[in-house]
Amino acid sequence: MSETFKNQQQILAKLGITTLNPMQEQALLTIPAYPNTILLSPTGTGKTLAFLLPVLNELKIELQQVQLIILVPSRELAIQIEQVIRDMGTGFKANAVYGGRPISKDKIELSHTPAILIGTPGRVLDHLDRKSFNLEYIRTVVLDEFDKSLEVGFENEMAHIMHDLAHVKRRVLTSATQNMKIPDFVKLHHPKVIDYTASGVKELAVKRVLATHKDKLKTLVELLSHIGNEPGIIFCNYKDSINYLSEHLATHHIEHGIFHGGLEQQERERALIKFRNGTYQIIIATDLAARGLDIPELKYIIHYQLPLKAEEFTHRNGRTARMNAAGTAYVLQWNKEIVPDFITTDDLLVLDPKTTSLETDWTTLFISGGRKDKISKGDIAGLFFKQGRLEKNELGVIELKQDCAFVAVSKKKVHEVISSTNNTRLKKKKVRIYEI
């Protein structure tokens, strides 16, 4: 057994994965063999692991320099990839840099040079201008969700970055769609294309739901009641629409989160945490949530506002029916609304008026201690079971961060738990525990 294969098996075991899927297997063989690769595969099929396994194989553990840059269009995707690399336990240091957090925090992390830098174009370019690290040893660049990071708005920043990365020998571009000409500045000469876009969407059902009113609000509530208490995303085109829609759902006591680029980073992160742990079953979002987010398997998505481009329709739909799971995309259409040509389904869903409880069972608690305080998930569970007197089915998902943690607990026990655990010690740290 080769050392590479042995390490790969160890990595997969740490991630809880038994075997790679065909797309990942092909990427593992193709990416090392070609200087330029385009990897196309639907959302949720494991593209991150598909490109990480082969590119990490080429890094040198003894070289204390940045060797790999991964460029991404959103903060959330940067954070997610950083976490995946840490979970892989390869021994390579990885840091994510992105707008929305102090540059001073980046400087502290980059003072111990990482082998892998993940970042959004604006913040990466900022560090290149500041000469925060040596560019001489960067041999590989990955453009994850490249159709987003190369579109208008990022183009000038990306051109500067690619020009500065003069020693790059390998380029890997990934996406769920490709409907754009790749700019010359990427220097993607004669790329090998791995295309799995025709697979992975077999279980997706697309259904039209007709609304009698232009604002669609009444029909949306009826649709949510029809679907029941299942995890899903409601997509809008604009953040103002999200706020309007959020107010309406609140008046109907439908718990939900919101997610768009106008929110502070902490608000966005906490919305996703509460979605992952079941405090929210519904998130209302712009197309920012259509790609690259670490969120659970979804039963459905709703196009409350119809997408403006075919590729966004594809990316939104890719949030459900992932891998081999079934899912439904609902196209909520006012009966006088013009529907884009790329939405072709004739499957019409007629709603039966009914009332279904959409209340969730969980509440999220914040703990003011994390990994840097030597606190583990086991420590947190022990505190909540012993001191908080929770039963096993009353403690939900625990997310442990560097300096804090988030815990889902049964709504029925939340006040009792806080009163019995707040201002107590976890390991050697006195922690505050409160509801968010």
Side-chain angles (χ1 to χ4, degrees):
M1 180 183 294
S2 72
E3 191 64 28
T4 296
F5 183 76
K6 182 182 173 185
N7 291 342
Q8 178 187 307
Q9 294 303 104
Q10 292 171 345
I11 289 168
L12 295 182
K14 286 176 185 174
L15 298 175
I17 297 170
T18 52
T19 56
L20 297 175
N21 63 38
M23 177 273 292
Q24 292 168 329
E25 291 277 12
Q26 187 173 341
L28 196 59
L29 295 172
T30 302
I31 290 173
Y34 294 87
N36 298 309
T37 308
I38 296 175
L39 174 57
L40 304 172
S41 190
T43 301
T45 51
K47 289 192 293 296
T48 300
L49 187 60
F51 72 72
L52 281 178
L53 283 173
V55 298
L56 291 181
N57 273 340
E58 307 210 347
L59 302 186
K60 298 174 182 176
I61 197 76
E62 71 279 3
L63 183 59
Q64 304 298 307
Q65 300 286 349
V66 177
Q67 302 172 59
L68 164 64
I69 284 188
I70 303 172
L71 294 163
V72 296
S74 72
R75 308 165 188 173
E76 285 74 22
L77 187 50
I79 294 166
Q80 180 184 325
I81 294 173
E82 178 187 40
Q83 189 58 52
V84 170
I85 294 170
R86 288 180 178 173
D87 291 343
M88 291 170 79
T90 62
F92 292 110
K93 185 174 186 283
N95 285 123
V97 296
Y98 46 86
R101 76 170 191 167
I103 196 85
S104 57
K105 194 168 182 180
D106 288 354
K107 286 182 177 178
I108 292 168
E109 293 185 349
L110 296 178
S111 63
H112 301 284
T113 308
I116 307 155
L117 188 74
I118 312 113
T120 50
R123 183 55 64 97
V124 169
L125 183 58
D126 193 353
H127 281 293
L128 295 186
D129 290 342
R130 292 168 183 264
K131 296 181 168 49
S132 299
F133 49 86
N134 190 342
L135 307 184
E136 185 180 346
Y137 300 95
I138 299 169
R139 295 289 182 268
T140 303
V141 62
V142 176
L143 274 57
D144 200 11
E145 304 289 358
F146 72 86
D147 56 317
K148 195 71 178 172
S149 59
L150 290 174
E151 70 180 10
V152 177
F154 285 132
E155 194 173 12
N156 289 338
E157 293 168 340
M158 291 294 294
H160 276 97
I161 293 169
M162 298 307 291
H163 176 266
D164 286 353
L165 300 180
H167 302 284
V168 165
K169 302 295 183 188
R170 188 177 310 286
R171 297 165 185 82
V172 180
L173 277 62
T174 84
S175 183
T177 58
Q178 184 188 6
N179 292 308
M180 68 172 299
K181 182 181 182 295
I182 296 167
D184 291 340
F185 63 73
V186 179
K187 300 175 184 174
L188 197 78
H189 306 305
H190 310 295
K192 181 69 174 178
V193 180
I194 304 170
D195 190 351
Y196 277 76
T197 52
S199 62
V201 294
K202 297 169 187 172
E203 302 301 320
L204 175 69
V206 181
K207 298 179 181 290
R208 291 194 197 217
V209 180
L210 294 181
T212 54
H213 292 86
K214 189 175 182 179
D215 65 13
K216 310 181 192 178
L217 294 173
K218 180 175 179 290
T219 307
L220 175 65
V221 172
E222 291 173 354
L223 175 57
L224 292 173
S225 293
H226 172 89
I227 294 167
N229 217 348
E230 300 282 1
I233 298 179
I234 303 169
F235 280 106
C236 295
N237 294 334
Y238 310 105
K239 61 186 179 183
D240 289 346
S241 306
I242 290 176
N243 296 331
Y244 173 65
L245 190 51
S246 177
E247 289 175 9
H248 184 77
L249 293 192
T251 63
H252 285 77
H253 309 290
I254 299 173
E255 293 172 278
H256 62 280
I258 62 173
F259 187 87
H260 58 75
L263 297 174
E264 293 293 326
Q265 183 63 21
Q266 185 184 84
E267 295 176 293
R268 284 160 60 169
E269 287 179 9
R270 291 191 175 186
L272 294 178
I273 286 166
K274 293 168 88 169
F275 190 45
R276 285 193 290 262
N277 69 25
T279 297
Y280 298 145
Q281 289 280 61
I282 298 166
I283 275 197
I284 315 169
T286 59
D287 287 318
L288 184 63
R291 33 171 117 211
L293 294 189
D294 181 17
I295 54 179
E297 185 62 55
L298 303 181
K299 295 294 185 183
Y300 70 94
I301 63 102
I302 297 173
H303 301 279
Y304 176 76
Q305 289 180 317
L306 305 186
L308 304 176
K309 299 177 182 177
E311 51 266 36
E312 295 306 345
F313 185 63
T314 300
H315 282 289
R316 288 181 181 186
N317 292 345
R319 298 266 40 131
T320 188
R322 300 168 72 181
M323 300 298 281
N324 297 314
T328 306
Y330 296 97
V331 177
L332 191 53
Q333 172 193 347
W334 178 42
N335 55 19
K336 295 181 182 178
E337 187 171 9
I338 297 172
V339 177
D341 293 341
F342 52 79
I343 301 177
T344 58
T345 181
D346 292 321
D347 191 352
L348 184 65
L349 175 66
V350 179
L351 299 174
D352 294 322
K354 63 177 181 178
T355 303
T356 304
S357 173
L358 296 174
E359 187 176 356
T360 61
D361 298 325
W362 301 100
T363 291
T364 301
L365 299 184
F366 172 87
I367 301 177
S368 63
R371 287 194 195 93
K372 69 176 176 60
D373 306 300
K374 310 299 183 188
I375 293 169
S376 70
K377 289 184 179 182
D379 296 327
I380 294 170
L383 175 69
F384 279 62
F385 287 141
K386 188 175 180 181
Q387 207 161 311
R389 295 184 291 278
L390 287 181
E391 299 296 326
K392 192 172 182 181
N393 64 348
E394 295 171 332
L395 180 67
V397 176
I398 300 171
E399 285 204 29
L400 189 60
K401 307 292 185 183
Q402 195 66 13
D403 54 3
C404 64
F406 301 88
V407 186
V409 300
S410 170
K411 273 184 180 174
K412 298 173 184 175
K413 292 289 188 73
V414 64
H415 298 298
E416 181 184 328
V417 168
I418 291 173
S419 63
S420 61
T421 59
N422 187 31
N423 288 320
T424 56
R425 289 194 177 275
L426 257 176
K427 287 293 175 67
K428 295 181 179 180
K429 182 178 175 68
K430 190 174 184 180
V431 295
R432 292 177 295 115
I433 298 177
Y434 55 86
E435 184 178 351
I436 61 167

